[in-house]
Amino acid sequence: MAEIINLRRARKQKARAEADKTAEQNRISFGLSKAERSLAEAERAKSARHVDGHRLGGEDKDPEPA
């Protein structure tokens, strides 16, 4: 004989599991200390300056859209 399940409880359990999964992703994405955030921002700025410094064409910063 099949096991009887409570659909309401199963639905709530599924919603909790999805919320936990989203929370874990947010902890990974946004769980950085202020020092880590500022270091990452400084690295992004440095790489952007590096790429802009090697751009051909001189004055225009953004290439024309294709």
Side-chain angles (χ1 to χ4, degrees):
M1 186 160 186
E3 184 179 339
I4 298 174
I5 61 169
N6 186 331
L7 295 177
R8 179 176 35 123
R9 187 177 298 154
R11 187 171 46 246
K12 287 182 179 183
Q13 187 177 17
K14 182 181 177 186
R16 262 188 233 109
E18 289 177 10
D20 287 343
K21 186 177 178 182
T22 303
E24 180 64 29
Q25 291 173 349
N26 285 340
R27 280 192 290 274
I28 291 169
S29 298
F30 301 110
L32 300 177
S33 69
K34 186 174 183 179
E36 291 171 331
R37 282 193 306 267
S38 63
L39 178 63
E41 178 60 33
E43 288 173 349
R44 279 193 294 271
K46 182 179 178 182
S47 66
R49 284 193 310 270
H50 180 75
V51 170
D52 286 343
H54 288 85
R55 222 180 259 276
L56 296 177
E59 293 183 21
D60 61 322
K61 295 278 183 178
D62 295 327
E64 293 184 22

